[in-house]
Amino acid sequence: MWGSIFFTDSDGAAVLLRATDPAKGLQWAGGDVEFTDPSPLHTAVRECFEETGILLEPDPERLPLLATVVEQPRNGWPTKIGFAFFGGALSPEQVAKIRLDPAEHTEVLVLTRDELAKTVEPRRAQLTLAVLDAVRTGVPAYVVR
């Protein structure tokens, strides 16, 4: 199980992190639930701070659920369930202040829906587009992939 925090910029574009491992592509701040994490929201908040320096409170009222993601078994992994929570819209100054862990990420990118569809691998783009739709509509996505 995993938890993540998804941010947009003030114009509604996706804020993404480029993984140091090219096979992992563009990501949101997040990771796998650890034994000490009481919930996927706590995981998302912990990982967000570790990966970006952005400290949030694990409050479901302030970090609403955007998506439940069921990842079907593939490449030797069993089924995984993930949860994406909305961290809000970041100002250009907040995006510029993101502190990356160089062992995990190399850069911050801000991509519009059109840029996502044109430049990001389709499987990853589809998930981020579903989450952007959830931000826009307020209706959490349920994604099986």
Side-chain angles (χ1 to χ4, degrees), residues 74-89:
R74 66 183 170 87
N75 299 331
W77 285 91
T79 298
K80 285 186 80 170
I81 306 294
F83 302 91
F85 302 92
F86 188 42

Side-chain angles (χ1 to χ4, degrees), residues 6-133:
F6 180 82
F7 294 103
T8 63
D9 74 352
S10 52
D11 293 325
V15 177
L16 303 167
L17 310 176
R18 184 179 307 283
T20 54
D21 176 355
K24 293 182 179 179
L26 298 176
Q27 302 177 322
W28 315 323
D32 289 336
V33 174
E34 295 179 0
F35 289 110
T36 56
D37 294 332
S39 72
L41 177 57
H42 286 80
T43 299
V45 166
R46 175 183 52 75
E47 288 280 348
C48 181
F49 180 69
E50 291 172 5
E51 295 178 1
T52 68
I54 298 172
L55 182 59
L56 303 167
E57 291 296 320
D59 178 355
E61 295 293 320
R62 295 179 62 200
L63 302 171
L65 179 68
L66 285 180
T68 300
V69 181
V70 178
E71 298 184 70
Q72 297 177 345
R74 66 183 170 87
N75 299 331
W77 285 91
T79 298
K80 285 186 80 170
I81 306 294
F83 302 91
F85 302 92
F86 188 42
L90 301 177
S91 69
E93 295 78 22
Q94 289 171 307
V95 171
K97 288 182 182 177
I98 291 176
R99 172 192 46 82
L100 296 178
D101 175 352
E104 292 194 56
H105 299 103
T106 60
E107 69 178 313
V108 178
L109 292 102
V110 178
L111 300 175
T112 65
R113 293 181 66 84
D114 289 344
E115 290 168 334
L116 277 163
K118 291 177 185 172
T119 63
V120 176
E121 182 266 321
R123 179 179 162 83
R124 293 183 194 281
Q126 176 262 347
L127 181 56
T128 300
L129 291 169
V131 171
L132 281 171
D133 285 343

